[in-house]
Amino acid sequence: MKKTIWMAFAALMLAAPVANAQKVNESAFRSKIEKSNADIADAKKNGKASTWINRGKAFYEAAAEPTKNLFPNMDAPMLKLAVGEPKAVSADEIGGQPCEAWEYPYFTVYIRNGKVATWKQTRQIVDNAVPQAIEAYNKAYEIDPKAGDKVKAGLKQVSDYCSMAGNAELDLGNSAAAADAYMQAFEAQSGPAYGQADPVLLYYAGYLRTFDGANHPESFALGSEYLNMALDRGYTDEEGNIYYYLFHSYYGQKDNDPAFVTRAKDALLTGIEKFPKNERILEGLMQLYTSEPNVGDPADLVAMIESAIAENPENIDLWFSRGRTFFALKNYDESIASFAKVVELQPEMFEGYYFLGYMYTVKGDAMNDAIGKNTYNSQSAYDADQKAVTEVYLAAVPYFEKAHQLKPDHFETIQLLKQLCFRLRDEEGIMDKYNTYNTLFQQAQANQ
């Protein structure tokens, strides 16, 4: 036991000098690059793949050295052991959440709950080190394809570093910087020695540039470029959101050229054909069709979906799309009919019952609003309309109850049942239901 304690103490003593300050030997890295510059200027050495591999490694190490010891969720004491004491500490926030900013010579680390949340590299050893590393590795493969394994290993290191930098920028909310880092990661993988570059990097870069377009309109063009590159390589995300982001990237360029409105529409139409259940794409179409003149009639969406259903009448995704489309058009009866079909086709699926109950509730709300705007000449006419509203609300209850049976912990279902039963509390048997769901609501609320 004593030996173990003394060994731990010795390790701490050895680590103590490291904790004084972050140390990066810039001159050593610059010397390596100066030597590489001399080597490629030499006609004999210039023709060797090893010369260019060494050059790629030198630039990669210069890029990665400052942050090589950082990783997410790293304990703050471990950070100090790895890179030393920060030269300044200040209060900051990330994503609206408080944190501490630890400032070092080459980066700022953001600490939350005693762990590394993310970081921002603020200083480079060599400017443009990453593209020069990629260029050097690709040159090595051009000279000697037999060096492909070493070249690929080097490019993977570069790509991994860029992806990590992209993740860090994304955590900070820096969409454009994150997009650029992911694009550099993709470029590292695009060399002939690497093989197949991962198109998901293009997708990340594309939608992040699209997000950035809200603040910097010039990013929309880059967003559409990157997303189209991903599609050209056969990539689509699982839900098909790539088409929704492509729509926004095109639509954001409409002030430069009205033709982008048509491109935005075509992106959505392609997307909804391939991913008919995607709510974002459908919402984008409704937005486009209702806000832009001469783009199309919202009824065209109905015709498109009806045609698809005629060919595949048991496609639940199409019935979902039909229901959401009619909901957007405020045709609640057809929306109800659509979700009733979903329930028929898939009688044990939570979503069908939930949305069917929800559509009955929305219809009841619309009828109730109409009553408030009407002028009645008789109490009987008013009572008749109120009775009709009550019947619609009552129709929603069993569907929400079935949804609750299928997914007992779904908070929104419990909340809607509580609200609905309170409104209908004077109807036979409903007050008991209200008491039950009110208790469940309070329990669920307490557990949130």
Side-chain angles (χ1 to χ4, degrees), residues 199 228-236:
N228 276 312
M229 287 173 66
L231 288 168
D232 288 344
R233 285 160 176 77
Y235 178 82
T236 56

Side-chain angles (χ1 to χ4, degrees), residues 120 165-166 169-170 174-182 208-209 212:
K120 172 75 176 179
E169 294 287 3
L170 182 59
N174 299 331
S175 297
D180 292 346
Y182 289 133
L208 287 169
R209 272 295 180 179
D212 187 62

Side-chain angles (χ1 to χ4, degrees), residues 193-215:
Y194 196 91
Q196 186 70 31
D198 190 349
V200 73
L201 294 166
L202 292 169
Y203 173 62
Y204 293 157
Y207 83 69
L208 287 169
R209 272 295 180 179
T210 300
F211 282 154
D212 187 62
N215 298 317

Side-chain angles (χ1 to χ4, degrees), residues 21-42:
Q22 181 188 14
K23 291 182 175 63
V24 174
N25 191 345
E26 272 197 26
S27 61
F29 290 102
R30 292 183 184 277
S31 294
K32 285 184 180 180
I33 291 172
E34 288 173 5
K35 180 180 183 306
S36 175
N37 289 339
D39 287 346
I40 64 172
D42 182 288

